[in-house]
Amino acid sequence: MQMRSVYLASGLLWLVLTVLTGLSFASRAVSEAQTEFTRISQQLFENIGQKLQVNEAVLDSYATFTGLGMKNGGQEERQFVRQFLQRYPQIIAVMRIERVPLASRDSFLKEARARHGMMYTIHGLDKDGKGAAGSVALSEEGFPVTFIEPSNRISSRWLGADIATNDFLRDTLLDAIESGRSAASRSFDWADGRAAYLMVRPSDDLSTYVSAGGMPWHFVGMMVRTGSLSSQVGDLPPGMAVRLWHKRFSPSAPQGWFVNVAEPPSGWLESRIFPRLERVRQVGSEAQPLILSVSWQLGWKQIGLFEWGMSAALSLVTMVLLWLGCESYRRYLSSRVEREARLFYLANHDRLTGLANRGLFYDRLQHAISRLNRSGKRLAVLFLDLDRFKPVNDTYGHVVGDRILQMIATRMKQALRSEDTVARLGGDEFVVLLEDIESYREVDRVVARLKGSIEEIFEVEEHRIRVGVSIGVAYYPEDGVLIEELLSVADRKMYGDKREPEAVC
C-alpha cells in the first residue's frame, strides 16, 4: 500500500514536471514567435508605408509638371508619364481631370474633340467604377477625364468619364478639394479587372483658388494597382493574418479592403492556451489613410520539432529517474522490513534450534490465556527435559550435542500441530503450548507422540545416539491462572516423570 502511494505520487509528479517542461518549451516558442511577429509587422508597416509615400510623391511630381503650364495631352507630357509608368509598375494609368460647369460644357467639348477626335464625349461611370455608363445622369458641374495614359483600348473607356457620377470617386474628389492635397479612393476593379484605387489631387496652386474663394479647375489623378500593396506582404508564417483597409470604412467592411490575408480558423483549445498577437496602425498619410492590421493566433504549429523532441526527451529522462528513485526506495523499504523481521526473529527465537525463545513463549501463552478467558476453553503447558544429554556433550562434543538439539526441535515440530507453540527455555529444556484442548486423553496422545519421536535413535557423524525425555503437564485453569504457576506445576510434574536414562549407544 505504501509503495502504491509512492508510485502514484511519482506518476503525478512526472505528469506535473512533463506539463511544466512542455509549458517551458512552449513559452520559449511563443517568445520566439512574438519576436518574429514584431519583426514581420514592423517590416510590413515600413514597406507598405514607403510604397504609399512613393505613390503620393509620384502624383505630386505629376501635379507639379502639369502646373508648369504644359499643354494638356502634349507629347512632352506623354513622354513624362510613360517614364513614370515604366519606372513605377504599380501605376496603371495617369490622368488629368477638369472641372467643367454646365454652362461651359459645349465649349469644353469642342476643344476636347479637337484634341481627341469627334468620339470624345462626357459620360458617366457605373457604380463600380469600371467604365462608361451612358444611363448615368451627368451633374451640373462635371469633372471629366481630359487626358489618360496609357492610351490603350482599356484605359480609353475612362477618357471623358465624369468621376463625379460615381459615389465613392466623387467623395474622393471632394476630400481632395477640401484638403487641397491628394486623396485616395477605396479599392475597386479597374477596367481590365485588376483591383486598383484612384488617387486624385488639385494641380492648381492652392493659394490661387483659396484666395479667390473658389475651388480648383484642374486635377491630376493616378490609378494605382492594389496588388502592389499585397506584394509587400510576401510569405507569412502559417496562421498570420494581414488586413489593409481604407480608414473611411470599418475593418469588417469588404468594400474597404485593400489587402486581406485571412486568418485560418484556430481550435478552441489553441485560442485559450496560446496568445493572439495583433498590431493595428495607420500606415499612410491623410492622403492615403490606410489602416494596417497584423494578427497572429499562435498555436501548436509554433512548437517546432526541437521543442517537441526536447520535451519528449526530458519527459522520458524524468520518468526513468523517478522510476529508479521508486525502485531504490522500494529496495530500501524491502531491506528495512527484512532487517526488522530478522531482528524480530533473533529477538524472539532460539538461535540454535530456531524455536521460540522464553520471551515469545510467554507472550503467546499470555495471549492464549486472555483469549481462553473469553471462550471458556482450556490449554496445556508441557515442560520437557532431556535425560542423559550431558553425557552426549561430554562424549561427542558440543558440536554433536548442538546437532542433536536441532534434530529434536525438528521432530517436536513434526509431532505437533501447526498452531501449537514449541519453545526452548535453555540448555536441554523445552516447553510446549497446546491451545483449545478437548480432553486429557488428547494431551496424553501428544505426550506419547513427543516421547516416541524424541527417543528414537539419532545418527550424527556415524554415531548412533539415543536420549530420553521427561515431560510434565500443567492445565489451565486447573493448575493455575498465571504463567509462572503453570510453568512451576509443569516443571514439578516433569520431575515426577523422571526415570533412569537409557544408555548411550
Side-chain angles (χ1 to χ4, degrees):
M1 185 65 182
Q2 185 178 5
M3 281 308 301
R4 178 184 294 182
S5 300
V6 170
Y7 281 118
L8 179 60
S10 298
L12 291 175
L13 179 60
W14 171 80
L15 182 61
V16 170
L17 291 176
T18 298
V19 171
L20 292 177
T21 302
L23 289 176
S24 175
F25 280 102
S27 176
R28 175 180 179 273
V30 167
S31 178
E32 291 180 351
Q34 289 174 332
T35 302
E36 180 71 2
F37 175 78
T38 301
R39 183 189 66 80
I40 292 176
S41 59
Q42 187 62 34
Q43 186 175 359
L44 286 173
F45 289 138
E46 292 176 358
N47 291 349
I48 294 178
Q50 290 173 2
K51 200 74 173 180
L52 295 176
Q53 288 177 2
V54 168
N55 295 338
E56 192 170 349
V58 171
L59 186 59
D60 289 343
S61 298
Y62 182 49
T64 302
F65 179 85
T66 58
L68 295 176
M70 293 296 176
K71 183 180 178 181
N72 188 351
Q75 188 62 30
E76 291 183 1
E77 182 174 1
R78 289 192 180 277
Q79 241 177 346
F80 179 78
V81 171
R82 286 169 184 169
Q83 290 177 357
F84 270 160
L85 295 176
Q86 186 176 9
R87 184 174 180 183
Y88 303 105
Q90 74 270 21
I91 302 175
I92 298 176
V94 176
M95 64 188 73
R96 279 200 191 197
I97 302 167
E98 302 289 337
R99 179 165 67 93
V100 181
L102 182 60
S104 306
R105 185 167 296 174
D106 291 340
S107 60
F108 169 80
L109 284 173
K110 183 179 179 180
E111 182 181 347
R113 285 170 179 170
R115 289 198 310 267
H116 301 291
M118 296 304 295
M119 297 299 294
Y120 182 89
T121 184
I122 300 177
H123 59 83
L125 285 172
D126 59 18
K127 64 179 181 179
D128 296 326
K130 289 186 178 180
S135 61
V136 177
L138 300 178
S139 58
E140 291 188 1
E141 190 170 52
F143 293 84
V145 175
T146 60
F147 166 79
I148 190 165
E149 183 68 29
S151 56
N152 52 32
R153 181 179 59 84
I154 295 175
S155 61
S156 63
R157 299 178 189 177
W158 273 65
L159 189 62
D162 183 359
I163 65 173
T165 59
N166 177 276
D167 292 338
F168 65 85
L169 293 180
R170 183 179 64 250
D171 292 339
T172 305
L173 184 64
L174 293 176
D175 287 343
I177 293 173
E178 183 179 352
S179 64
R181 58 173 179 267
S182 302
S185 73
R186 68 170 175 85
S187 179
F188 63 97
D189 289 339
W190 171 244
D192 61 358
R194 289 183 292 177
Y197 67 98
L198 176 65
M199 291 185 65
V200 61
R201 62 155 291 169
S203 59
D204 293 337
D205 184 13
L206 179 63
S207 61
T208 302
Y209 66 85
V210 170
S211 61
M215 65 170 59
W217 291 91
H218 308 285
F219 302 85
V220 290
M222 188 170 69
M223 200 66 64
V224 182
R225 185 168 53 88
T226 308
S228 64
L229 300 178
S230 302
S231 64
Q232 302 302 309
V233 174
D235 295 330
L236 298 175
M240 185 174 289
V242 175
R243 179 170 291 176
L244 181 68
W245 71 93
H246 199 288
K247 186 179 180 180
R248 181 177 295 172
F249 298 87
S250 69
S252 58
Q255 63 268 29
W257 295 347
F258 281 64
V259 178
N260 183 38
V261 179
E263 180 179 342
S266 57
W268 177 86
L269 187 61
E270 283 184 319
S271 61
R272 280 155 180 79
I273 292 180
F274 295 93
R276 186 176 187 274
L277 310 177
E278 186 173 15
R279 292 184 68 186
V280 180
R281 199 173 79 187
Q282 180 171 326
V283 290
S285 66
E286 289 305 318
Q288 300 174 91
L290 303 184
I291 309 298
L292 178 62
S293 169
V294 185
S295 60
W296 197 7
Q297 174 60 61
L298 303 183
W300 304 112
K301 53 187 172 292
Q302 269 66 56
I303 305 178
L305 291 177
F306 172 78
E307 286 79 11
W308 285 117
M310 288 300 296
S311 296
L314 289 177
S315 177
L316 182 60
V317 170
T318 303
M319 179 188 294
V320 171
L321 291 177
L322 287 174
W323 180 79
L324 291 176
C326 289
E327 285 298 300
S328 177
Y329 185 65
R330 184 188 62 79
R331 288 192 296 269
Y332 164 74
L333 287 181
S334 178
S335 64
R336 190 180 71 176
V337 169
E338 291 177 358
R339 185 169 63 254
E340 291 176 352
R342 179 62 179 168
L343 292 175
F344 178 82
Y345 181 85
L346 293 175
N348 293 276
H349 291 79
D350 177 61
R351 294 193 178 186
L352 178 63
T353 61
L355 299 176
N357 59 15
R358 185 185 297 270
L360 182 58
F361 180 79
Y362 276 37
D363 184 66
R364 291 185 179 178
L365 180 56
Q366 185 61 55
H367 278 83
I369 292 173
S370 300
R371 188 169 58 84
L372 290 180
N373 286 336
R374 293 191 297 269
S375 64
K377 294 184 179 181
R378 295 187 300 171
L379 60 78
V381 176
L382 282 60
F383 198 102
L384 292 79
D385 184 67
L386 300 180
D387 297 330
R388 292 189 55 82
F389 182 73
K390 186 176 182 303
V392 173
N393 281 332
D394 295 340
T395 304
Y396 302 105
H398 288 281
V399 175
V400 174
D402 290 344
R403 181 59 183 148
I404 294 294
L405 291 175
Q406 291 172 346
M407 297 173 70
I408 289 174
T410 302
R411 291 183 181 183
M412 290 178 68
K413 287 190 290 186
Q414 293 173 350
L416 296 171
R417 300 172 301 178
S418 59
E419 62 266 25
D420 297 331
T421 300
V422 185
R424 181 189 178 204
L425 298 183
D428 57 358
E429 293 180 339
F430 299 87
V431 287
V432 177
L433 170 62
L434 304 177
E435 300 184 51
D436 298 330
I437 59 175
E438 299 293 338
S439 63
Y440 295 126
R441 186 174 298 176
E442 180 183 355
V443 177
D444 292 340
R445 287 197 296 269
V446 173
V447 171
R449 195 162 57 244
L450 284 172
K451 282 190 175 184
S453 177
I454 293 173
E455 290 178 353
E456 288 183 6
I457 295 176
F458 296 95
E459 295 184 0
V460 181
E461 297 181 358
E462 300 180 356
H463 303 294
R464 294 170 58 84
I465 303 171
R466 175 180 292 157
V467 296
V469 62
S470 299
I471 303 176
V473 182
Y475 294 94
Y476 176 88
E478 293 92 328
D479 295 324
V481 295
L482 300 177
I483 295 176
E484 296 299 335
E485 290 178 341
L486 293 173
L487 290 176
S488 178
V489 171
D491 183 44
R492 191 166 58 251
K493 290 184 178 181
M494 179 272 297
Y495 276 106
D497 187 57
K498 280 284 187 182
R499 66 178 184 274
E500 289 295 324
E502 297 183 12
V504 178
C505 299

